[in-house]
Amino acid sequence: PNIDVTLKCDSIKMEVVFGNVILNSIQAIGDNPGTIYIRYAEKPGSVIIEVVDSGPGIDIENLDKIFDPLFTTKQKGTGLGLSSCKSIIEQHGGQISAKNTPTTITIVVPNLVEKK
């Protein structure tokens, strides 16, 4: 981006969020050629961050469950990754959601940093 955005947040916890979301995108794409886009937009009082991947998408019957604790579709998954992300984002006063076509994780967090 041409302009950076600064958030007032716990950077270690937010690193966990982005690490989990991006890892899920990588795993969804698998060995296939693919892309992951990370984009953001500033709105009055908030920042919207989207992680979009070219993977096969989330099964429609699972879309409403992916942020539930212990829900996983992976053989070696614990089901704690995205539920932890949801908890961290909510601790920051934000929201996280998912949609398909393409697979997009949307994070909305308050922008508490004053512009100079």
Side-chain angles (χ1 to χ4, degrees):
N2 295 328
I3 301 171
D4 288 337
V5 63
T6 303
L7 296 174
K8 185 175 181 180
C9 64
D10 183 323
S11 61
I12 294 170
K13 287 182 178 180
M14 292 302 278
E15 188 175 327
V16 169
V17 170
F18 291 111
N20 275 317
V21 171
I22 293 167
L23 178 61
N24 282 351
S25 290
I26 292 168
Q27 291 172 340
I29 293 169
D31 293 332
N32 302 314
T35 55
I36 300 170
Y37 296 100
I38 301 170
R39 56 187 177 217
Y40 72 89
E42 285 190 85
K43 302 287 182 189
S46 65
V47 175
I48 301 165
I49 305 159
E50 293 182 325
V51 179
V52 183
D53 71 59
S54 61
I58 302 164
D59 288 342
I60 193 73
E61 64 269 9
N62 296 334
L63 200 55
D64 291 338
K65 302 176 196 172
I66 64 168
F67 297 107
D68 293 348
L70 305 177
F71 178 79
T72 185
T73 59
K74 301 174 186 172
Q75 286 187 334
K76 295 186 180 183
T78 63
L80 297 176
L82 287 177
S83 66
S84 296
C85 292
K86 181 179 182 205
S87 175
I88 291 168
I89 295 301
E90 288 176 349
Q91 288 169 21
H92 284 82
Q95 300 172 327
I96 187 169
S97 60
K99 67 178 183 177
N100 276 324
T101 319
T103 306
T104 305
I105 301 294
T106 303
I107 298 167
V108 180
V109 287
N111 189 355
L112 304 175
V113 176
E114 303 237 353
K115 296 285 184 191
K116 293 182 182 179

